[in-house]
Amino acid sequence: MSDSLYAQWLALACGAFLLAGVLVLWRRDLAAIVRLFALQGVALGAMVVVLGLRQGSVHLVAVAVGVGALRAGLLPYLMRRALDTPRPGGETAGDEARETRPLVNVATSLLAAAVLALVAYAVSQPIVRLSPDPATRAVPVALTVLLVGFFVLVTRRRALSQVVGFLLIDNAITATAFLTTSGVPLVVELGVSLDVLLAVLVLQVLTARMRAAFGGTDLDELRELHD
């Protein structure tokens, strides 16, 4: 793969990766948020494929396929299952399918994303100067998604939204690892992926139990039960 083609395809994959993360702040429909997370999983897999083709590494391409299958296929499927879990009376989630009361509105959230992008760019400059190749120059993208994930965790109230925030952070950490080290050992990626999968499975069970016991998954309403 030529240098120009490598830079173009890597920039395209990183752009899609960043766009999917930022659009999570724009959408309130939980099903759409899950689809955006799946799109980001595809972009992450494509990013690793480009790195693997650049290095001529079949091992890295195989890891990319596994990463894409987990983060664009299995994890979104499990989250959709959690979203479609029936209520105690046999009804589906319905009104709970939207993030109705985020702490920060959409316009302010997008403005915050722009500020977080500037912060990520400033913080990552020492890393970029160490090795100013296309992969390292994309590190600010991964750090921006990392900060966006934390922002989602802080400002969203639905349990599923907060899980997506956690998974955005995990995607960003994975992207940073691949961009800065040109790949991680397969056993490390497998271990991290299994941990993430276990966390989502636990979330699915807890979400079903919360909906069955309390009729909803709004974390603010659950705190009021304590009062």
Side-chain angles (χ1 to χ4, degrees), residues 100-177:
T100 55
R101 296 186 300 174
L103 295 181
V104 181
N105 62 32
V106 172
T108 306
S109 295
L110 294 177
L111 180 61
V115 174
L116 293 175
L118 293 176
V119 171
Y121 179 82
V123 168
S124 61
Q125 284 312 293
I127 300 174
V128 174
R129 285 195 291 267
L130 288 175
S131 178
D133 58 85
T136 308
R137 287 198 296 268
V139 168
V141 170
L143 293 183
T144 300
V145 174
L146 177 71
L147 296 176
V148 167
F150 277 116
F151 188 79
V152 171
L153 279 175
V154 171
T155 61
R156 297 301 175 97
R157 301 270 54 87
R158 296 290 181 191
L160 189 62
S161 295
Q162 295 203 352
V163 171
V164 171
F166 165 75
L167 293 175
L168 289 179
I169 293 172
D170 180 71
N171 279 352
I173 293 172
T174 302
T176 303

Side-chain angles (χ1 to χ4, degrees), residues 16 36 152 206 212:
L36 286 170
V152 171
L206 289 178

Side-chain angles (χ1 to χ4, degrees), residues 8-214:
Q8 291 172 6
W9 279 106
L10 185 62
L12 181 61
C14 290
F17 183 78
L18 176 61
L19 181 62
V22 173
L23 288 180
V24 168
L25 297 175
W26 175 55
R27 299 304 302 266
R28 292 190 178 184
D29 181 67
L30 295 182
I33 289 174
V34 172
R35 288 194 294 270
L36 286 170
F37 172 75
L39 175 61
Q40 189 179 68
V42 173
L44 178 59
M47 187 189 309
V48 183
V49 166
V50 172
L51 294 172
L53 293 177
R54 171 66 173 179
Q55 300 173 28
S57 172
V58 177
H59 163 76
L60 201 53
V61 173
V63 171
V65 172
V67 167
L70 176 66
R71 298 166 193 268
L74 184 56
L75 292 180
Y77 168 75
L78 292 175
M79 287 190 286
R80 283 193 295 268
R81 286 279 303 273
L83 185 61
D84 295 336
T85 302
R87 289 184 176 183
E91 301 175 355
T92 56
D95 294 338
E96 292 188 33
R98 291 181 60 81
E99 182 71 48
T100 55
R101 296 186 300 174
L103 295 181
V104 181
N105 62 32
V106 172
T108 306
S109 295
L110 294 177
L111 180 61
V115 174
L116 293 175
L118 293 176
V119 171
Y121 179 82
V123 168
S124 61
Q125 284 312 293
I127 300 174
V128 174
R129 285 195 291 267
L130 288 175
S131 178
D133 58 85
T136 308
R137 287 198 296 268
V139 168
V141 170
L143 293 183
T144 300
V145 174
L146 177 71
L147 296 176
V148 167
F150 277 116
F151 188 79
V152 171
L153 279 175
V154 171
T155 61
R156 297 301 175 97
R157 301 270 54 87
R158 296 290 181 191
L160 189 62
S161 295
Q162 295 203 352
V163 171
V164 171
F166 165 75
L167 293 175
L168 289 179
I169 293 172
D170 180 71
N171 279 352
I173 293 172
T174 302
T176 303
F178 280 108
L179 290 171
T180 55
T181 65
S182 299
V184 295
L186 178 60
V187 65
V188 175
E189 178 58 33
L190 182 61
V192 172
S193 298
L194 289 177
D195 284 344
V196 174
L197 178 59
L198 178 60
V200 173
L201 287 172
V202 171
L203 165 81
Q204 185 180 12
V205 174
L206 289 178
T207 301
R209 293 293 182 88
M210 288 165 60
R211 187 172 289 129
F214 307 112

